[in-house]
Amino acid sequence: MATEVRAKTDQGPINYKDQLHPMVQANYGKWEYHEFPKPGVLKHVGPAGTLWTVRAGTPRLLSVDSIRDFCDVADKYCDGYLRFTSRQNIEFLTDKEENVDPIIKEVTELGYSVGGTKNALTSIVHTQGWVHCHTPATDASGIVKAVMDDLHEYFVNDDELPAKLRISMACCLNMCGAAHCSDIAIVGIHRVAPVIDHETVRKSSEIPTLVACCPTGAIRPDPKNKSVKVVEERCMYCGNCYTMSPGMKICDAENDGLAIMIGGKVSNARTNPEFSRMVIPFLPNTPPRWPECTEAIRHIVECWKDGAKKGERLGEWIQRIGWERFFSVTGIPFSDKLIDDYIFSRETFRTSAAFKY
């Protein structure tokens, strides 16, 4: 019987297995154990041999020259094998233990920190911010740089935190980042309804599409001006309308800022996955270092570090002590803005009369 031969096409991605390191392919589905020999280094052992991984943090937005530098290191020590993680770290893969220290040395000399493994903070996932997006309420790269600089010791050391720490950044409510499922999330927020430029709306917008794009029905046709109007009581300041029309100006230098959410996670190792919840409804935009945001996140991390049990994620610690106790320990003021009043949130309502102090 003749073997079927399929023609190669340029439709869709190639099979990911074709790009795996040979040691990964040889041990695929047969791994025996893994270890963390030192911060930023992973050791995976299988019947075919050992794979060493060196992880370094990146700023996400990389120049072509930086990527070429990474490729040069990979070509020199890893037979060209490297990968980016889902949280924007870069990993160099080698089956030779003697290559680990030279990789660390060269990556460090390029200006990148090696770490982010075991019980450590890893690279902060973030969205575009002022660099590339048209609807952000705050910056992404700038805030992430400031926060990561302040918490850098938790990236390069893997035994100072109770468990791994995941921080994310979304610069508006459209949530391009992983803000809903990270231990700590920074979310940019608008606080005023869009200012309508009727002339721009008339000339560049399709009115029915603009009306239909609003998730809360706040945008209505305005036949008198051949434009639209906004019912401010219904507006949730998401900025979706600005995506449809440049005449719906949502950005406001005075009122835009950011909120802090905590307690989310994807892992289900000990407890179910959790969505994050808001604990600080507003902090101002204070570039270039955003000290209010940096100080708030440092304070939350330190309280969790001091109070959590070993292996206990931030949200798991809060669930154990109770949200009332969390606000008491951290000193963060509680307001009605933090109450979960989403009308379909039956499963998340606090229905018990018991308080944990």
Side-chain angles (χ1 to χ4, degrees), residues 10-31:
D10 58 359
Q11 303 294 320
I14 61 175
N15 191 323
Y16 73 94
K17 289 187 177 181
D18 295 339
Q19 302 296 304
L20 295 177
H21 190 284
M23 187 61 70
V24 177
Q25 293 185 9
N27 285 319
Y28 200 90
K30 307 171 188 175
W31 294 107

Side-chain angles (χ1 to χ4, degrees), residues 9-190:
T9 71
D10 58 359
Q11 303 294 320
I14 61 175
N15 191 323
Y16 73 94
K17 289 187 177 181
D18 295 339
Q19 302 296 304
L20 295 177
H21 190 284
M23 187 61 70
V24 177
Q25 293 185 9
N27 285 319
Y28 200 90
K30 307 171 188 175
W31 294 107
E32 296 171 353
Y33 66 93
H34 70 272
E35 298 175 341
F36 301 96
K38 54 185 172 181
V41 178
L42 300 92
K43 176 185 176 183
H44 288 83
V45 180
T50 301
L51 180 72
W52 300 82
T53 302
V54 177
R55 177 183 293 177
T58 76
R60 181 177 183 269
L61 299 176
L62 293 169
S63 68
V64 173
D65 288 338
S66 297
I67 294 174
R68 285 174 174 162
D69 288 338
F70 289 146
C71 292
D72 288 341
V73 174
D75 286 339
K76 188 174 181 180
Y77 299 107
C78 308
D79 298 321
Y81 288 94
L82 56 76
R83 64 183 290 268
F84 281 91
T85 72
S86 60
R87 301 196 77 89
Q88 303 157 11
N89 299 290
I90 188 167
E91 292 185 347
F92 299 89
L93 313 175
T94 179
D95 54 7
K96 300 178 178 64
E97 183 179 0
E98 62 270 20
N99 287 344
V100 171
D101 288 335
I103 292 173
I104 294 174
K105 181 176 182 295
E106 293 208 16
V107 170
T108 303
E109 289 174 350
L110 289 173
Y112 300 92
S113 297
V114 173
T117 56
K118 200 179 176 183
N119 291 348
L121 165 66
T122 191
S123 289
I124 302 176
V125 175
H126 67 90
T127 53
Q128 307 295 340
W130 294 336
V131 170
H132 190 63
C133 188
H134 61 284
T135 59
T138 187
D139 192 27
S141 302
I143 294 178
V144 166
K145 169 65 174 171
V147 171
M148 199 64 174
D149 283 350
D150 186 61
L151 299 177
H152 184 257
E153 72 266 28
Y154 296 129
F155 181 85
V156 296
N157 296 301
D158 62 7
D159 58 356
E160 294 191 11
L161 295 175
K164 59 185 177 181
L165 176 62
R166 302 292 181 259
I167 300 178
S168 65
M169 168 80 210
C171 49
C172 78
L173 290 179
N174 289 308
M175 292 266 193
C176 304
H180 60 291
C181 58
S182 295
D183 295 293
I184 300 176
I186 311 161
V187 181
I189 55 172
H190 301 289

